[in-house]
């Protein structure tokens, strides 16, 4: 997405609040491959001061399936609900939530508190109808991806249990 368009979505009311960079990687390989520095640089480019960027990373190595298992996600939700956050930054929707219910709740609370969401592609304003649509699709895709991975893992486990002759 064109960075100038993203810049137009950021207002002074967003910059008055902190930017929350949510980092959740399921595996050690993802931690190495998906660093936070690029998102931090984008937040600074959009106008946030370094000291106003909070990193929430206590959910490292935890599944994104349920928010109840992730204290960092619950902290993020509380901060968004309290209107303390101007923008939520994450590499992709599935890093925030693989459960469409959790994702939808985050997007709804972000709409109410006028909080932006940024991923590796764009800055989304949940109150802007085209962005609302994209955010909805991202949540569905994240949950679908998880279900597809589980189905594949189940097939692989059944094949391994059946033995090498198949």
């Amino acid at each position: 997405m064109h960075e100038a368009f993203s810049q137009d979505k950021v207002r002074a009311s967003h910059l008055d609040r902190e930017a929350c960079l949510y980092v959740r990687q399921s595996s050690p390989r993802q931690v190495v491959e998906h660093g936070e520095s690029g998102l931090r640089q984008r937040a600074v480019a959009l106008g946030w001061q370094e000291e106003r960027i909070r990193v929430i990373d206590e959910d490292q190595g935890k599944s994104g399936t349920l928010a109840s298992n992730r204290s960092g996600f619950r902290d993020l939700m509380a901060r968004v609900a309290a209107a303390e956050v101007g923008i939520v930054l994450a590499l992709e929707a599935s890093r925030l939530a693989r459960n469409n219910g959790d994702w939808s709740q985050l997007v709804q609370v972000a709409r109410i508190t006028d909080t932006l969401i940024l991923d590796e592609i764009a800055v989304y304003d949940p109150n802007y109808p085209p962005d609302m649509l994209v955010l909805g699709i991202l949540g569905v895709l994240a949950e679908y991806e998880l279900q597809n991975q589980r189905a594949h893992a189940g097939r692989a486990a059944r094949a391994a249990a059946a033995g090498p002759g198949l």
Side-chain angles (χ1 to χ4, degrees):
M1 172 161 288
H2 193 286
E3 199 62 41
F5 182 67
S6 296
Q7 189 78 35
D8 292 342
K9 292 180 182 179
V10 178
R11 297 183 304 279
S13 61
H14 296 120
L15 296 172
D16 287 341
R17 297 179 273 162
E18 66 184 9
C20 277
L21 172 51
Y22 182 78
V23 182
R24 185 197 64 77
Q25 307 301 333
S26 300
S27 70
R29 187 179 120 233
Q30 288 176 328
V31 171
V32 171
E33 292 176 357
H34 302 129
E36 66 189 50
S37 63
L39 291 176
R40 180 183 292 278
Q41 290 170 353
R42 287 191 60 201
V44 170
L46 289 169
W48 271 270
Q49 300 297 313
E50 264 302 322
E51 63 274 4
R52 300 285 295 155
I53 301 172
R54 176 186 302 271
V55 176
I56 299 176
D57 63 358
E58 58 261 26
D59 293 341
Q60 295 283 38
K62 296 181 182 175
S63 170
T65 306
L66 294 173
S68 61
N69 300 335
R70 297 181 291 133
S71 60
F73 185 79
R74 290 191 312 271
D75 178 38
L76 174 68
M77 284 294 295
R79 290 176 184 285
V80 171
E84 297 171 1
V85 178
I87 192 167
V88 173
L89 306 107
L91 283 172
E92 56 189 71
S94 67
R95 297 296 104 207
L96 285 161
R98 292 260 177 132
N99 174 303
N100 197 33
D102 291 341
W103 174 253
S104 296
Q105 183 181 14
L106 173 63
V107 172
Q108 183 62 30
V109 172
R111 284 184 70 200
I112 293 167
T113 60
D114 188 31
T115 301
L116 302 172
I117 298 173
L118 178 144
D119 67 8
E120 75 280 9
I121 297 171
V123 173
Y124 304 98
D125 180 346
N127 288 301
Y128 179 57
D131 287 356
M132 239 172 45
L133 177 64
V134 172
L135 290 169
I137 291 169
L138 290 173
V140 170
L141 288 174
E143 188 164 328
Y144 173 78
E145 179 185 46
L146 177 65
Q147 296 303 322
N148 192 36
Q149 286 175 350
R150 285 184 177 162
H152 178 72
R155 285 190 300 272
R158 285 190 301 277
L166 295 179

